[in-house]
C-alpha cells in the first residue's frame, strides 16, 4: 500500500490578493483547500462560500502547459467556471488578448472539460462549500507540487490581476464584470453546463 | 460577509493508532481531512484511499452527545458506514455492549441518518478519495472544536480500540471483522443504503 500520495494545501488570502477585483477588501484566511491525490485518487478542491468585495470566492486560475487537459466534476454546491483562450502571437500567447471564453454554471453531476492551453478558474456562487474532483496529475517531486503544480502556469494570471471576467454577487445572483486590464475579450454571458461545447476529443 | 468559519484539520496516523485493528501497521501521515463550515456551509470530510494492515482507512468514530443527530451525504467514492448503539445500564451506556448496529454500503447520492446517542464512523472502501458532506454543528469557540468537537464523545471509542466491527479488505471486497474487546454485539452484515431503516423523525 502506497501511503505517500495524500497532501493538503490551502490558498491564502494574501496570495489571492494578486488576482482579486478588490485586493484590499477583507477575505477569509484561506479561500480554498486542495487535497491532492493525483489522477488515480482524483484531487478534491473545497471552496469557502462568500464574497470578497462583492466578488465570489474563486480559485486563483491558471493556464495548462503543453498537451495537458483536465476534467472537473462538481460534487456539491453551485459554481461558475471561467474558461478562456489567449490569442496566439509570433512569440507565443498574448496575455491580454482573449480569443475565446466561456462562463459556465455548474451543479452536482456536471463534468466540465478544460482543454490543453486554455486557462480556467472556478467560482463558488452558492451558500455552501463548493466541492469538485478533478483528474489533473500532480507531481509530488516538485518543490511546491501540491500548492502550485508545475503543469500549470499562474504567472499570466498574476500579471493580469485575474481572468478577463470577475464574477460578482448582484442581489444574490452571479454577474460577469470585465477585467479592464484585458485589451480584448469576447462579450460573454453565463451559460448552462449543457450548452458548453468543449469536449475531450476521442 | 462573515469570514471566520472555515477551518481545516487532518486526523493523523498517530491519533488513529488508538482505534486501529493493527496499531503497529504503517499508514499515511493523515488518514482523513476535515473542512469545517458548520451546519450552514456543511462540513466536508475527505478520506485517503487504502488500507492499514488490511483495515480500510476510516474516521476515528464517536458517539453523539445529547439530542444531536446528523446526516451524511456521500459526494464521491464508495464507503461503509458503521452505526452502533450501546446498551443502557443503571449508570449510563455500557461501552462494551452493543444493542443494535448497522453496516451500510454508501455511494454518491446516498444520505445516511445518524440518530442521537448512536456512534458512527465511515470507512473508505473504494480506490479514490471518499468525500462526504454533513450538517453537524461545529463550535469554533472550543479549544479544539475543528479536530475534536465537543458535541461528540471519542473516549469510549478510544477505550474499546474502535467500534464493534473493523472493515477489512478481503480480495478487494469489504468484510466485517468483530472487535474482540466487545462483550456483546449483534451479528450483522453489510447492507445497501436502501435497506437502512433509521430516519429522522418528522
Amino acid at each position: 500500500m502506497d501511503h505517500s500520495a495524500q497532501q493538503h494545501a490551502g490558498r491564502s488570502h494574501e496570495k489571492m490578493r494578486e488576482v482579486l477585483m478588490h485586493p484590499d477588501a477583507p477575505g477569509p484566511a484561506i479561500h480554498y483547500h486542495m487535497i491532492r491525490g493525483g489522477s488515480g485518487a482524483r484531487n478534491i478542491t473545497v471552496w469557502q462560500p462568500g464574497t470578497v468585495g462583492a466578488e465570489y470566492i474563486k480559485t486563483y486560475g491558471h493556464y495548462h502547459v503543453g498537451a495537458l487537459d483536465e476534467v472537473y466534476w462538481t460534487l456539491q454546491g453551485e459554481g461558475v467556471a471561467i474558461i478562456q483562450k489567449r490569442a496566439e502571437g509570433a512569440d507565443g500567447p498574448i496575455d491580454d488578448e482573449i480569443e475565446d471564453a466561456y462562463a459556465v454554471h455548474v451543479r452536482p453531476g456536471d463534468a466540465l472539460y478544460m482543454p490543453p492551453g486554455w486557462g480556467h478558474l472556478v467560482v463558488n456562487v452558492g451558500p455552501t462549500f463548493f466541492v469538485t474532483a478533478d483528474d489533473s496529475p500532480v507531481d509530488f517531486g516538485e518543490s511546491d507540487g501540491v500548492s502550485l503544480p508545475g503543469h500549470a502556469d499562474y504567472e499570466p494570471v498574476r500579471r493580469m490581476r485575474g481572468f478577463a471576467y470577475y464574477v460578482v454577487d448582484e442581489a444574490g445572483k452571479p454577474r460577469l464584470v470585465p477585467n479592464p486590464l484585458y485589451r480584448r475579450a469576447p462579450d460573454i454571458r453565463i451559460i448552462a453546463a449543457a450548452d458548453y461545447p468543449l469536449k475531450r476529443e476521442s
Side-chain angles (χ1 to χ4, degrees), chain A:
Chain A
M1 193 71 233
D2 176 14
H3 288 130
S4 64
Q6 186 191 46
Q7 294 191 29
H8 165 268
R11 181 75 72 227
S12 71
H13 181 62
E14 201 46 42
K15 179 74 180 165
M16 286 302 296
R17 290 182 62 207
E18 297 173 358
V19 293
L20 292 177
M21 186 168 72
H22 297 298
D24 296 327
I30 301 293
H31 287 218
Y32 56 98
H33 291 274
M34 298 156 276
I35 299 168
R36 299 297 201 172
S39 56
R42 293 186 181 174
N43 310 296
I44 304 295
T45 308
V46 179
W47 283 246
Q48 169 87 359
T51 53
V52 177
E55 188 182 9
Y56 288 107
I57 297 280
K58 65 182 177 184
T59 46
Y60 193 99
H62 63 245
Y63 288 94
H64 281 159
V65 174
L68 182 79
D69 60 5
E70 200 173 333
V71 174
Y72 271 81
W73 292 267
T74 299
L75 303 182
Q76 174 180 283
E78 197 187 338
V80 171
I82 305 284
I83 301 122
Q84 66 180 29
K85 183 177 172 40
R86 291 169 291 184
E88 278 293 329
D91 302 321
I94 303 166
D95 290 345
D96 60 357
E97 292 192 22
I98 298 302
E99 197 172 83
D100 207 353
Y102 295 95
V104 189
H105 200 151
V106 289
R107 292 172 178 280
D110 290 333
L112 215 57
Y113 176 63
M114 314 293 186
W118 289 59
H120 60 92
L121 62 76
V122 193
V123 176
N124 181 4
V125 301
T128 67
F129 282 135
F130 179 67
V131 186
T132 65
D134 72 77
D135 61 358
S136 177
V138 176
D139 180 357
F140 290 104
E142 294 174 79
S143 61
D144 187 15
V146 176
S147 177
L148 296 167
H151 62 265
D153 187 7
Y154 295 84
E155 194 50 28
V157 187
R158 188 189 65 76
R159 276 197 298 270
M160 298 304 298
R161 308 199 68 83
F163 270 30
Y165 289 94
Y166 299 110
V167 185
V168 303
D169 172 3
E170 191 173 74
K173 296 274 185 195
R175 189 172 66 85
L176 299 178
V177 173
N179 176 345
L181 295 182
Y182 283 79
R183 286 200 304 145
R184 176 160 75 91
D187 186 21
I188 61 171
R189 284 168 310 146
I190 299 172
I191 61 173
D195 298 326
Y196 176 67
L198 304 182
K199 298 202 166 25
R200 192 168 264 165
E201 285 166 33
S202 53

